[in-house]
Amino acid sequence: MPLTHFDAQGQAHMVDVSDKEVTDRVAVAAGHIKMAQDTFDLISEGRAKKGDVLGVARLAGIMGAKKTPDLIPLCHPLPVTKVAVELTLDPDLPGVQVQATVKTSGQTGVEMEALTAVSTAALTVYDMTKAVDKAMEIGDIRVLLKDGGKSGRYEAK
């Protein structure tokens, strides 16, 4: 399957979706941020000096999804109809699991919006707690589900 963001000459271009059918679309992405146990405790006990880390990160993730076409050069601006960002404390990491669900009715999918929401939320956790833990690791960011459109359904294994 050829890469759609390149023309016949190999030049990057925005894909023309004008002939595509408008369908309901959804994407779910996930990732995590690992941290020191002390940082995990700071967040879970609500002692971060900058405030509610998970609440602010949730809002940042939602905002990130809505700003995706401003960040990713060839991404179409879409009428996003839903963005949900869940941040779950995971003592086994220790850290925070992040999951984002994005929906639209449109001519192209919302995988990039879901991935951007996860990334932005994780970066916000880092930003709010970096004063106590600069060694945090953001990782495993991936699409878990994509549904709608010509290519149909994808679920990560």
Side-chain angles (χ1 to χ4, degrees):
M1 180 176 218
L3 296 174
T4 58
H5 284 87
F6 295 96
D7 64 17
Q9 293 76 39
Q11 302 296 312
H13 73 104
M14 188 176 213
V15 175
D16 182 356
V17 297
S18 59
D19 291 335
K20 287 179 144 188
E21 186 178 338
V22 172
T23 61
D24 292 337
R25 297 162 184 268
V26 62
V28 179
H32 67 255
I33 180 164
K34 290 171 63 172
M35 58 194 59
Q37 185 65 49
D38 289 345
T39 309
F40 178 83
D41 294 342
L42 185 83
I43 294 170
S44 64
E45 295 167 8
R47 293 185 288 115
K49 288 187 179 181
K50 289 188 177 182
D52 177 9
V53 174
L54 301 183
V56 173
R58 181 177 303 104
L59 290 175
I62 292 167
M63 292 173 66
K66 295 180 347 180
K67 291 290 193 177
T68 300
D70 294 334
L71 301 170
I72 310 297
L74 302 176
C75 193
H76 291 84
L78 297 172
V80 172
T81 58
K82 176 183 178 156
V83 180
V85 178
E86 299 172 26
L87 294 103
T88 306
L89 291 166
D90 184 347
D92 294 332
L93 278 174
V96 179
Q97 298 285 349
V98 184
Q99 184 169 305
T101 302
V102 181
K103 292 183 177 182
T104 191
S105 291
Q107 294 167 295
T108 189
V110 285
E111 299 92 343
M112 296 308 300
E113 286 76 6
L115 289 164
T116 301
V118 169
S119 302
T120 306
L123 287 166
T124 300
V125 171
Y126 185 94
D127 180 54
M128 292 187 72
T129 56
K130 68 183 181 282
V132 296
D133 187 359
K134 290 179 180 36
M136 287 179 282
E137 297 177 14
I138 296 170
D140 205 21
I141 297 173
R142 69 224 177 268
V143 173
L144 299 178
L145 170 77
K146 169 260 181 250
D147 197 19
K150 185 172 73 172
S151 64
R153 188 174 183 90
Y154 163 81
E155 288 186 73
K157 296 179 180 16

